[in-house]
């Protein structure tokens, strides 16, 4: 029995490629609906698909938007990322950072080896039409106040994330502080969260940012005293993240952990994980967690 991931980018129809044990392994990733249909087949040997959503909302350096056909290829790099046994959270870079790391020509296509011979080490071949793509073809959204129109892939992902935000009852900001210059997601949270603040479907927020603070959960009224105590202590206490979350969710719907990661997972027991993602302070009425 083995497990596959649905489309890790949050969109369907693109092609992916990774290098495993010195060989190129192309894959065609699929949607959650396809994964669900395959999971309904209970014959022996049927693959089990993980039907979770894994969005890259700001894009990824592992993506290449072909300048010729306009389609997207996801390069997983040289590892087993995407397999259910993998212990890696994110894929390796699509190309070696230093030439000495990888000189095996079999791990690249014939065209890519020709480009590398011309010192074009960042060139990778489009999985759709075979054209050359470069590192500059990676569609990404930079964290600046001024942003250009995102590529169609990122726009589709942003729409999917916004739908998830509007339905989410508990949002965990794990290492993300909702900075004011990230205007796209400030607006997304404003639409998806503030519009239901005073309803029974109100969203709650867990902030896991900072590593110099206290290794415990800090709730509602305690947050004011914590901010006053550590606001002038410098970075590492998660103050900005807590203040930004309070501004969007409201103080009574925010809790914070500032003692670092992986400390927030405790001993990684089932109870520890549930306390992080499905805490009792969230009102789960009307959901499957009720």
């Amino acid at each position: 029995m083995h497990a596959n991931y649905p489309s890790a980018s949050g969109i369907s129809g693109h092609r992916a490629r990774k290098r495993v044990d010195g060989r190129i392994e192309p894959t065609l990733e699929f949607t959650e609906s396809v994964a669900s249909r395959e999971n309904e087949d209970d014959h022996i040997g049927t693959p089990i698909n993980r039907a979770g959503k894994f969005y890259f909302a700001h894009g990824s350096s592992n993506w290449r938007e072909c300048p010729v056909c306009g389609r997207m290829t996801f390069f997983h790099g040289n590892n087993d990322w995407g397999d259910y046994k993998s212990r890696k959270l994110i894929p390796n870079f699509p190309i070696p950072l230093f030439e000495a790391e990888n000189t095996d020509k079999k791990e690249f296509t014939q065209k890519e080896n020709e480009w590398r011979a011309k010192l074009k080490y960042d060139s990778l071949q489009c999985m759709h039409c075979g054209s050359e793509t470069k590192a500059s073809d990676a569609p990404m959204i930079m964290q600046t106040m001024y942003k250009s129109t995102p590529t169609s892939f990122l726009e589709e992902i942003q729409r999917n994330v916004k739908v998830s935000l509007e339905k989410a009852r508990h949002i965990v900001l794990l290492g993300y502080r909702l900075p004011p210059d990230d205007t796209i997601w400030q607006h997304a949270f404003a639409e998806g969260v503030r519009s239901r603040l005073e309803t029974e479907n109100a969203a709650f927020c867990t902030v896991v940012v900072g590593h110099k603070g206290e290794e415990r959960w800090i709730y509602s009224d305690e947050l004011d005293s914590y901010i006053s105590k550590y606001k002038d202590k410098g970075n590492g206490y998660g103050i900005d993240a807590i203040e930004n979350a309070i501004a969007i969710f409201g103080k009574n719907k925010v809790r914070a952990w500032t003692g670092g990661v992986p400390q927030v997972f405790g001993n990684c027991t089932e109870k520890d994980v549930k306390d992080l993602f499905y805490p009792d302070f969230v009102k789960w009425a009307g959901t499957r967690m009720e």
Side-chain angles (χ1 to χ4, degrees):
M1 180 180 295
H2 65 282
N4 299 321
Y5 284 93
S7 173
S9 63
I11 58 179
S12 61
H14 70 274
R15 292 182 177 179
R17 194 186 87 182
K18 60 182 176 181
R19 298 190 295 274
V20 180
D21 298 328
R23 70 181 189 279
I24 295 176
E25 186 175 298
T27 62
L28 181 62
E29 301 198 348
F30 47 88
T31 63
E32 186 176 355
S33 61
V34 176
S36 298
R37 286 198 298 271
E38 284 199 358
N39 287 346
E40 293 174 357
D41 189 347
D42 58 359
H43 293 297
I44 296 176
T46 299
I48 303 300
N49 302 291
R50 298 183 182 183
K53 294 182 174 67
F54 196 162
Y55 297 117
F56 288 86
H58 290 88
S60 171
S61 58
N62 290 68
W63 296 355
R64 294 289 176 89
E65 181 183 10
C66 180
V68 178
C69 71
R71 303 178 73 180
M72 197 261 279
T73 302
F74 191 163
F75 294 92
H76 287 186
N78 188 14
N79 63 19
D80 58 356
W81 188 83
D83 295 336
Y84 79 103
K85 295 182 293 183
S86 176
R87 298 181 63 85
K88 297 180 175 67
L89 179 62
I90 57 176
N92 287 351
F93 284 109
I95 52 176
L97 293 179
F98 301 99
E99 178 60 16
E101 290 184 15
N102 194 327
T103 57
D104 190 348
K105 293 185 177 181
K106 291 185 296 184
E107 294 193 358
F108 299 93
T109 67
Q110 179 180 348
K111 275 289 187 181
E112 288 169 353
N113 283 317
E114 292 175 5
W115 294 328
R116 291 170 69 81
K118 299 177 182 179
L119 304 183
K120 297 180 178 182
Y121 292 117
D122 66 327
S123 295
L124 292 171
Q125 194 168 12
C126 171
M127 293 286 291
H128 300 274
C129 70
S131 300
E132 179 183 10
T133 69
K134 302 177 182 179
S136 58
D137 294 319
M140 298 182 69
I141 297 177
M142 298 294 105
Q143 190 170 309
T144 60
M145 291 294 282
Y146 301 99
K147 296 177 173 64
S148 60
T149 302
T151 183
S152 60
F153 314 123
L154 286 177
E155 185 175 5
E156 183 177 350
I157 290 173
Q158 289 170 9
R159 291 180 184 277
N160 290 337
V161 174
K162 289 176 182 178
V163 171
S164 297
L165 282 175
E166 290 178 356
K167 296 180 178 180
R169 193 65 63 87
H170 181 220
I171 296 171
V172 182
L173 301 179
L174 192 63
Y176 178 63
R177 63 184 183 91
L178 271 175
D181 58 351
D182 201 351
T183 54
I184 291 176
W185 296 109
Q186 284 282 346
H187 180 67
F189 274 94
E191 284 187 336
V193 175
R194 289 178 182 170
S195 60
R196 53 190 171 107
L197 276 178
E198 303 303 327
T199 71
E200 61 180 9
N201 298 323
F204 290 74
C205 180
T206 289
V207 179
V208 182
V209 180
H211 62 280
K212 296 180 180 179
E214 303 169 15
E215 293 186 16
R216 67 181 184 90
W217 290 113
I218 307 169
Y219 294 86
S220 55
D221 291 337
E222 289 185 286
L223 294 172
D224 288 334
S225 57
Y226 178 85
I227 292 172
S228 298
K229 181 178 180 180
Y230 294 106
K231 191 172 183 64
D232 298 324
K233 297 289 186 179
N235 296 325
Y237 294 94
I239 301 300
D240 289 347
I242 295 173
E243 291 180 328
N244 292 338
I246 290 175
I248 292 175
F249 293 86
K251 184 174 62 178
N252 293 330
K253 294 181 176 63
V254 173
R255 67 170 183 168
W257 176 285
T258 59
V261 176
Q263 290 87 339
V264 69
F265 288 98
N267 295 319
C268 288
T269 64
E270 181 178 349
K271 181 180 182 303
D272 292 331
V273 175
K274 285 183 177 179
D275 285 344
L276 174 58
F277 294 110
Y278 305 100
D280 292 335
F281 97 111
V282 176
K283 294 180 181 179
W284 297 105
T287 72
R288 60 189 178 91
M289 295 300 300
E290 186 177 7

